[in-house]
Amino acid sequence: MPGAKLDPIDRKILAELQADGRMTNVELAKRVGISAPPCLRRVRTLEENGYIRGYHADVDARELGFEVQVFAMVGLVKQAEADLSAFEERCREWPLVRECHMLNGEVDFILKCAAPDLSTFQTFLTEQLTAAENVASVKTSLVIRCAKDEPGVPFEVLEARLSQEP
Amino acid sequence: MPGAKLDPIDRKILAELQADGRMTNVELAKRVGISAPPCLRRVRTLEENGYIRGYHADVDARELGFEVQVFAMVGLVKQAEADLSAFEERCREWPLVRECHMLNGEVDFILKCAAPDLSTFQTFLTEQLTAAENVASVKTSLVIRCAKDEPGVPFEVLEARLSQEP
DNA sequence: CGTGAAACCGTCGCCCC
DNA sequence: GGGGCGACGGTTTCACG
């Protein structure tokens, strides 16, 4: 049962840093109810054990001139592990592809892409993605608007679960 | 032309904070080539003008016990603006739904969901999402694995564009 | 935008439970 | 094992040139 090695203070630290990753350590310590030194030690441990992968500013893509966001559903011709890995490696090299998830079901991968405008994306779509080796089909959907974009994990759900069956 | 109001130093600040949101201000100032006080003023301005929406620790969902990630494609019965807004409001209230994007094409919305296990998700799926008013169809795809998950925007693409046609 | 100064914070060693 | 106290050096954040 993962996440069980964390005590309530660790989970509170993760929840607070997920909500505000630039909080000072003393502020964080105050919120979780311990003093600064042990709080910092816990944060370092959480980082080293991979619970915290990093910290990122949440930059507004549209304000920066990335008007186009697209979800692309990709089907491959062959799905042996080597084929899957090869496609994933390609995706890591394409900067327009921000996320690449392998799925079950009829489609093999879903990609989230960001581009400055439609023509940039269509060039990428026709000359790179659809043209890539082993790609059988690509279906794209433009994002009209984004109603919710919460990073990370719903800690409320985790806490409800843990308080229910300890 | 959005993003044009930013000078190269502002864009460098955004790129650096996107890569490491917990960097100290003096380190950031060193990297962008100015001293600390004007660097902090620029960061504050970028925050106030909405270029930076926030800072978040990138928490490993699976290590925390969220084993299940799902993409859900949702079609509605009616798509008048009031119907669309009502569904978006529902999504904001569901903690398991982390992202909700309205799409063009045959499907109306794509949702990214996170859940501790399959049964939690299926309960949500059958009792909440599929049962919600105005929902016509829901197709779900489990995430098998994630090959890439880069937050934010490819600044390399932006810089290449700006240096090409100033 | 840079300099200087004051307040604050990150961090360490040590002691305590 | 983990938490608290005190102190040092670095950082944030002013006012001012």
Side-chain angles (χ1 to χ4, degrees):
Chain A
M1 191 169 294
K5 285 160 291 188
L6 300 179
D7 65 14
I9 295 182
D10 286 325
R11 296 198 300 272
K12 191 103 199 292
I13 287 175
L14 291 174
E16 293 288 345
L17 286 179
Q18 179 175 283
D20 178 5
R22 236 178 134 70
M23 194 182 305
T24 66
N25 182 57
V26 298
E27 174 67 19
L28 179 62
K30 195 190 307 175
R31 293 198 187 200
V32 304
I34 59 180
S35 64
C39 184
L40 187 62
R41 288 195 289 260
R42 279 168 179 267
V43 171
R44 295 282 176 262
T45 304
L46 290 168
E47 290 169 354
E48 284 160 17
N49 294 348
Y51 289 96
I52 300 177
R53 275 192 294 244
Y55 304 87
H56 306 283
D58 181 10
V59 171
D60 190 311
R62 283 209 152 85
E63 279 227 50
L64 247 168
F66 283 80
E67 307 284 347
V68 175
Q69 283 195 69
V70 186
F71 283 93
M73 268 51 103
V74 178
L76 300 185
V77 179
K78 298 188 302 177
Q79 286 95 359
E81 177 55 36
D83 305 308
L84 300 169
S85 305
F87 179 74
E88 292 177 332
E89 187 50 37
R90 279 264 165 71
C91 287
R92 283 188 212 102
E93 290 163 2
W94 286 321
L96 261 50
V97 175
R98 307 313 290 162
E99 300 182 21
C100 170
H101 306 271
M102 182 175 156
L103 301 180
N104 78 338
E106 54 199 278
V107 65
D108 294 311
F109 289 95
I110 188 165
L111 274 44
K112 191 202 269 187
C113 306
D117 52 44
L118 255 187
S119 76
T120 302
F121 178 74
Q122 289 198 349
T123 303
F124 163 74
L125 176 63
T126 56
E127 295 181 10
Q128 308 279 323
L129 182 54
T130 309
E133 204 185 307
N134 197 34
V135 168
S137 69
V138 181
K139 282 192 186 181
T140 59
S141 286
L142 273 171
V143 173
I144 309 272
R145 70 190 189 203
C146 177
K148 184 175 189 177
D149 193 1
E150 297 283 332
V153 148
F155 278 94
E156 7 170 2
V157 174
L158 185 67
E159 295 300 334
R161 242 178 111 67
L162 290 175
S163 66
Q164 201 165 313
E165 342 172 354
Chain B
M1 190 169 294
K5 285 159 292 186
L6 301 179
D7 67 11
I9 295 182
D10 285 326
R11 295 198 301 272
K12 190 105 199 296
I13 287 175
L14 291 174
E16 294 288 346
L17 285 179
Q18 179 176 280
D20 178 7
R22 240 180 131 70
M23 193 182 306
T24 66
N25 183 56
V26 298
E27 173 68 19
L28 179 62
K30 194 190 307 174
R31 294 198 185 199
V32 304
I34 59 180
S35 64
C39 185
L40 186 62
R41 287 194 288 262
R42 280 168 179 266
V43 172
R44 294 282 177 263
T45 305
L46 290 168
E47 290 168 355
E48 283 160 16
N49 293 349
Y51 289 96
I52 299 176
R53 276 193 293 245
Y55 304 87
H56 306 284
D58 180 10
V59 171
D60 190 311
R62 283 210 151 82
E63 278 227 50
L64 247 167
F66 284 79
E67 307 283 347
V68 174
Q69 283 195 69
V70 186
F71 283 93
M73 269 51 105
V74 178
L76 300 186
V77 178
K78 300 189 298 178
Q79 286 95 359
E81 176 56 35
D83 305 309
L84 299 170
S85 305
F87 179 73
E88 292 177 333
E89 187 50 36
R90 278 266 166 69
C91 286
R92 283 189 210 99
E93 290 164 2
W94 285 322
L96 262 48
V97 175
R98 309 312 290 163
E99 300 182 21
C100 170
H101 307 270
M102 182 174 155
L103 301 180
N104 79 338
E106 54 198 281
V107 66
D108 295 309
F109 290 94
I110 187 166
L111 275 44
K112 191 202 270 187
C113 306
D117 53 44
L118 255 186
S119 77
T120 302
F121 177 74
Q122 289 199 346
T123 302
F124 163 73
L125 175 63
T126 55
E127 297 181 8
Q128 309 280 323
L129 181 53
T130 309
E133 204 184 308
N134 198 34
V135 168
S137 70
V138 181
K139 282 192 186 181
T140 59
S141 286
L142 272 172
V143 173
I144 309 272
R145 69 191 189 201
C146 177
K148 184 174 188 175
D149 193 1
E150 297 283 332
V153 148
F155 278 94
E156 7 170 3
V157 174
L158 186 67
E159 295 300 336
R161 241 177 113 67
L162 290 175
S163 66
Q164 200 167 309
E165 339 171 356

